[in-house]
DNA sequence: TATGACATGTAATCTGTTACATGATTAG
DNA sequence: CTAATCATGTAACAGATTACATGTCATA
């Protein structure tokens, strides 16, 4: 069957879904609270629009990755508090544990950083370090390739185009430096890891 | 009229549209050639799928920003070559000349870099430098804000989350360094500019 | 003549955006 | 009572992805 049996693949979860699950682990929250996090903290990159959050939460619930319970506590105001299910925890861990591919790099490192940010709480220090090493392994040849492409296009491209390319190279180099700094920071402070 | 009269706004062009127009200035190309650029060069970030490119080209054509002409030259194989119209050139220049806002920064700098990359050819060195200065002006307070948020969350957030935040701060600092390097590179080499 | 690269497209589907709607609760 | 905030949603639409369809041309 060529068109890839829909029941076979594990129902791809978009990045926003993982962002929500990552926040939900450790801190069960309502949709409104999650929106507040997206609009007020450094996670501004994610949409805080209700038209994004609420449908996303319902999708996750339909996949049994999270479960919402209506709180009756304080007032009569309806309010759902969502928690990760065991299946959700597993999905989150699997997402974090994925090796970093070249495709991840060209797609922008936003998703990898999200994975890393949630890694320690969701899967332990060992998983964080593993992810960093995978990141480093993907990053090195990628940076080398970029530098080669930069040299090759040096004559062809002109002016600001070349300059922009150089910015990309610098940013990638900076990222690699951070990865290596993070690895040493993790491996120096503890030998065993907390998991 | 609250719902913002649709005929009033200049029909927002998505980033892919500007990427296509930027490539088309200077080098009229077919859809297939554009796809090749996206799939083979450092512009891999943009989709090379026909389902993205061809509809985007048609949208631009409907807005009279580009015009396609069927080439009859070599064989009988149909092939459209697209060129920027004067209106397209104007739209591209206007997009490049937009001051960089805080919203641009949190949305990720991909679009700003694209604007800069095309700036010199589309609007001249003066526009490039102007854009860089605007970028710098937006970047400085943003970086300061990030650093403050980082310090504030230092105790609260734990482990990899804080580390990821630090990565964001470093990347932003690296970006600012590049901007300043680029400004000096431009202003040192020529006083007047080529426009 | 069969294969593969060239070249262009369409259809189904998914996700996100914008803009609006709805109702409960709290502060003045 | 009224306005603002809390909290949750919906509807219309835009844009991208995936997967497929179509046809041309060169070459082995």
């Amino acid at each position: 069957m060529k068109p890839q049996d829909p029941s076979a693949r594990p129902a791809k979860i978009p990045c926003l879904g993982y962002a929500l699950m990552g926040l939900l682990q450790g801190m069960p929250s309502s949709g409104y609270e999650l929106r507040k996090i997206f609009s007020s903290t450094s996670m501004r990159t994610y949409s805080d629009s209700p038209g994004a959050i609420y449908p996303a939460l319902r999708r996750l619930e339909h996949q049994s990755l999270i479960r919402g319970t209506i709180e009756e506590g304080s007032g009569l105001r309806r309010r759902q508090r969502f928690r990760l299910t065991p299946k959700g925890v597993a999905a989150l861990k699997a997402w974090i544990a994925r090796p970093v591919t070249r495709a991840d790099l060209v797609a922008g490192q936003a998703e990898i950083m999200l994975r890393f940010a949630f890694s320690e709480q969701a899967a332990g220090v060992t998983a964080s370090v593993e992810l960093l090493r995978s990141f480093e392994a993907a990053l090195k040849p990628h940076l080398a390739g970029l530098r080669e492409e930069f040299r090759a296009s040096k004559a062809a491209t002109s002016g600001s185009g070349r300059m922009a390319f150089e910015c990309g190279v610098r940013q990638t180099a900076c990222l690699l430096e951070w990865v290596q700094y993070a690895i040493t920071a993790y491996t120096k402070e503890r030998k065993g890891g907390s998991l």
Side-chain angles (χ1 to χ4, degrees), chain A residues 34-170:
Chain A
L34 292 164
R35 285 183 60 203
K36 278 309 179 66
I37 292 170
F38 287 150
S39 64
S40 67
T41 76
S42 56
M43 295 188 77
R44 267 175 282 277
T45 13
Y46 295 95
S47 167
D48 70 327
S49 84
I53 305 283
Y54 292 108
L57 286 171
R58 236 168 319 134
R59 279 194 297 272
L60 293 174
E61 196 169 25
H62 282 152
Q63 294 175 264
S64 308
L65 297 166
I66 63 175
R67 193 176 54 252
T69 52
I70 290 137
E71 296 233 315
E72 313 273 7
S74 48
L76 293 172
R77 181 190 287 170
R78 79 200 187 289
R79 165 194 250 212
Q80 287 231 72
R81 175 146 274 140
F82 293 95
R83 315 179 136 63
L84 269 189
T85 63
K87 192 180 166 190
V89 175
L92 193 60
K93 281 190 192 174
W95 174 67
I96 287 164
R98 271 185 212 165
V100 177
T101 66
R102 179 127 195 186
D104 290 325
L105 297 182
V106 303
Q109 15 79 299
E111 186 164 357
I112 311 174
M113 286 313 303
L114 193 66
R115 278 163 61 187
F116 175 72
F118 289 139
S119 65
E120 195 170 325
Q121 206 177 31
V125 173
T126 316
S128 303
V129 177
E130 208 107 334
L131 183 52
L132 285 171
R133 286 199 205 282
S134 167
F135 200 1
E136 188 190 18
L139 217 38
K140 276 177 171 171
H142 183 240
L143 180 58
L146 275 182
R147 287 202 162 119
E148 193 175 345
E149 196 181 340
F150 180 62
R151 263 191 302 276
S153 72
K154 208 155 196 171
T157 326
S158 69
S160 57
R162 193 172 60 241
M163 211 67 147
F165 203 142
E166 196 173 342
C167 180
V169 176
R170 274 164 168 251

